[in-house]
């Protein structure tokens, strides 16, 4: 059964409680936590068994939300976002000082994208906050392309799953562009 408004409200509540929520994108299911909260993000690493030196991608609704995690937004990032977001394009830009270092593994840049899945866009809009969202599987495992794959990897207590049906792309982020403050 696919998620509805009640499920989105429950997901928002869980996220605000620093708990994890799996959400669909056009490529794979992501494992979400509040991107601006160190404790919440640390839960992603713990539950996935992900090495702390492996940075996370941040999911946003749009450019305005992306700017909350970026120190700068180059003109070509704005052009690319306008042309390809929402969609499977990841932009790598200078990170904001407000973004916890755990998200970027201490690096100076952050990877941001706006997923094209309507359920996830609705979640992000309801939450009003950017989410980290690496693939919703145990580290080293195959990336999940449906809600059942996520449920096979994690207990209900560990991860609340927003079922948005199968992902149409079935592969992880298909495009990534690194941008800098200089054109």
């Amino acid at each position: 059964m696919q998620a509805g408004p009640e499920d989105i409200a429950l997901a928002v509540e869980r996220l605000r409680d620093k708990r994890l929520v799996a959400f669909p994108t056009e490529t794979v299911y992501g494992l979400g936590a509040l991107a601006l909260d160190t404790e919440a993000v640390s839960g992603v690493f713990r539950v996935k068994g992900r090495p702390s030196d492996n940075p996370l991608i941040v999911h946003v609704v749009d450019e305005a939300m992306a700017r909350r995690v970026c120190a700068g937004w180059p003109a070509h990032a704005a052009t690319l976002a306008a042309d390809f977001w929402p969609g499977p394009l990841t932009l790598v830009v200078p990170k904001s000082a407000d973004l916890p270092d755990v998200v970027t593994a201490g690096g100076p840049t952050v990877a941001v994208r706006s997923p094209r899945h309507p359920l996830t866009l609705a979640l992000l809009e309801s939450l009003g906050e950017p989410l980290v969202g690496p693939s919703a599987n145990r580290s080293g495992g195959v990336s999940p392309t449906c809600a059942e794959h996520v449920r096979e990897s994690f207990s209900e207590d560990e991860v609340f799953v927003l079922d948005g049906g199968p992902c149409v792309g079935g592969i992880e982020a298909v495009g990534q562009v690194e941008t800098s403050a200089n054109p």
Side-chain angles (χ1 to χ4, degrees), residues 55-56 69 92-96 99 103-111 178-180:
L56 303 175
V69 298
V92 179
V93 296
K95 85 173 204 67
S96 164
L99 188 66
V103 174
T104 63
T109 58
V110 60
E178 185 162 346
T179 64
S180 66

Side-chain angles (χ1 to χ4, degrees), residues 44-137:
V44 171
F45 286 96
R46 185 182 70 259
V47 168
K48 277 184 66 79
R50 185 180 178 105
S52 62
D53 63 351
N54 192 352
L56 303 175
I57 193 168
V58 176
H59 290 73
V60 298
V61 171
D62 54 20
E63 180 181 327
M65 189 178 281
R67 286 176 177 267
R68 294 181 57 198
V69 298
C70 302
W73 191 252
H76 54 283
T79 299
L80 289 166
D83 288 346
F84 297 105
W85 279 5
L89 174 69
T90 300
L91 299 172
V92 179
V93 296
K95 85 173 204 67
S96 164
D98 294 334
L99 188 66
D101 284 339
V102 66
V103 174
T104 63
T109 58
V110 60
V112 292
R113 73 180 292 250
S114 177
R116 188 175 24 243
H117 200 287
L119 180 61
T120 299
L121 289 173
L123 170 65
L124 287 163
E125 288 171 359
S126 293
L127 182 64
E129 299 284 336
L131 293 174
V132 296
S135 58
N137 58 288

